[in-house]
Amino acid sequence: MIKIHVDMDKCQHYGQCVFEAPTVFALNEDDKLEYHATADDSELENVERAIDVCPMQAIAFAK
């Protein structure tokens, strides 16, 4: 299991992460980011890509 953290103070809800890891990240009806704080190990590469494409660098692996 991987743990994910999004700094919501940095996040500007661009949604680039949604394209890379749609089972982990989503934009709600108000276009605000929602995410699962944990994901299966099979999502590791998708989450890594989401981290890389985030323009605000708001996504990280949680410890």
Side-chain angles (χ1 to χ4, degrees), residues 27-41:
L27 293 177
N28 65 22
E29 63 272 356
D30 295 325
D31 289 329
K32 300 294 182 187
L33 183 71
E34 295 179 348
Y35 72 101
H36 298 283
T38 60
D40 189 76
D41 290 338

Side-chain angles (χ1 to χ4, degrees), residues 14-31:
Y14 291 117
Q16 296 301 309
C17 54
V18 177
F19 295 111
E20 299 299 334
T23 62
V24 178
F25 303 98
L27 293 177
N28 65 22
E29 63 272 356
D30 295 325
D31 289 329

